[in-house]
Amino acid sequence: MNYTFDVKIKNKTIKCRAFTLREYKDLLQAKLEGRIESFINELISNCTDARDLNKQESELLVINLWAHSLAEVNIEREWSCSCGRSQVVPMTLTRATLGKEPDVIKDFSNFKIVFRYPKLFEDKNRAMMVAGCIDYILTSAGEKLFLSDLSDAELDDLYSVITEKDIKEVYDGLVAPKPILGIPISCECGEHTVHVIEGLKEFFKVM
């Protein structure tokens, strides 16, 4: 019998099933063979009804899928205080939330480029990701133009004005939002802190 559960992401309720032991073994094998990214996309497709999620939404879904499938919704990890004391800290991974997604817009004086957020693993190549995430162009007259509205020559002109500095700034803005979990911790010495887990890689370290 499949274990099913729902994951709420923004205004979407995503139907999920836990991945099987066979799928988990295949996942580990894919990691060894360097196919982990394509296999995670397969897991999302096979184990959920999610559609059109951006990078951080997909990462939050993966965190929930992993936690439920491996019975690691509630885990405990050791934390060391600056005073030298250590304690076991409980964490509920499914309480992770999404980071803010401010509009990413690059102003080129005569026009602006409005970007969409990337899909999962779309950030492998910085320049290609930035080009692929162009949502539309806003002219000084307020006209909205999509890439499909432009001729090949106009596309070449558009790409030619985007500098390496622009690419870095836009890239950094597009990959900045990440799933996040804040864990309040208090020590006997009186120190109070919030340990923050941010991004899929950091979650995988504690899962």
Side-chain angles (χ1 to χ4, degrees):
M1 179 180 291
N2 290 332
Y3 165 47
T4 61
F5 55 96
D6 292 344
V7 176
K8 292 187 177 181
I9 297 180
K10 295 181 180 175
N11 60 344
K12 308 167 186 174
T13 298
I14 299 170
K15 301 290 183 183
C16 306
R17 69 161 175 84
F19 50 73
T20 65
L21 179 59
R22 177 72 264 171
E23 287 170 324
Y24 179 57
K25 290 180 178 178
D26 289 344
L27 173 63
L28 296 180
Q29 185 63 34
K31 183 178 180 181
L32 289 174
E33 297 174 358
R35 299 183 293 106
I36 186 68
E37 295 175 359
S38 62
F39 195 83
I40 285 179
N41 279 325
E42 286 182 29
L43 278 182
I44 292 175
S45 177
N46 294 337
C47 298
T48 80
D49 65 356
R51 298 292 182 272
D52 299 322
L53 300 183
N54 67 27
K55 182 177 183 291
Q56 75 151 340
E57 293 168 345
S58 295
E59 289 180 347
L60 183 62
L61 179 59
V62 170
I63 291 164
N64 279 270
L65 185 60
W66 187 282
H68 282 284
S69 297
L70 300 184
E72 291 189 342
V73 170
N74 299 296
I75 62 175
E76 294 182 337
R77 294 294 182 267
E78 187 171 318
W79 176 82
S80 296
C81 180
S82 58
C83 73
R85 291 183 175 87
S86 295
Q87 62 175 293
V88 174
V89 177
M91 306 176 185
T92 302
L93 297 179
T94 53
R95 289 183 179 170
T97 58
L98 296 178
K100 293 181 180 179
E101 293 182 355
D103 292 336
V104 178
I105 302 172
K106 189 65 182 176
D107 193 340
F108 291 92
S109 297
N110 294 329
F111 64 93
K112 297 177 181 178
I113 300 178
V114 180
F115 294 86
R116 64 165 177 82
Y117 280 94
K119 304 294 185 183
L120 186 64
F121 305 130
E122 195 178 0
D123 58 331
K124 294 283 288 181
N125 182 293
R126 181 177 296 184
M128 288 183 64
M129 188 204 82
V130 170
C133 287
I134 294 176
D135 194 6
Y136 59 88
I137 300 155
L138 194 62
T139 69
S140 56
E143 183 183 7
K144 184 185 292 187
L145 299 175
F146 295 93
L147 295 187
S148 58
D149 299 324
L150 305 181
S151 66
D152 290 343
E154 288 171 329
L155 281 173
D156 289 340
D157 290 341
L158 173 67
Y159 294 140
S160 68
V161 301
I162 303 175
T163 66
E164 287 291 331
K165 181 181 178 182
D166 296 330
I167 289 173
K168 183 182 185 306
E169 289 178 356
V170 171
Y171 176 89
D172 290 345
L174 292 176
V175 300
K178 295 178 175 66
I180 189 170
L181 176 64
I183 305 154
I185 302 174
S186 297
C187 181
E188 293 177 7
C189 71
E191 181 176 338
H192 301 280
T193 187
V194 177
H195 178 66
V196 176
I197 304 171
E198 187 175 19
L200 190 58
K201 289 183 180 179
E202 291 298 316
F203 276 92
F204 275 152
K205 287 180 182 179
V206 302
M207 288 194 292

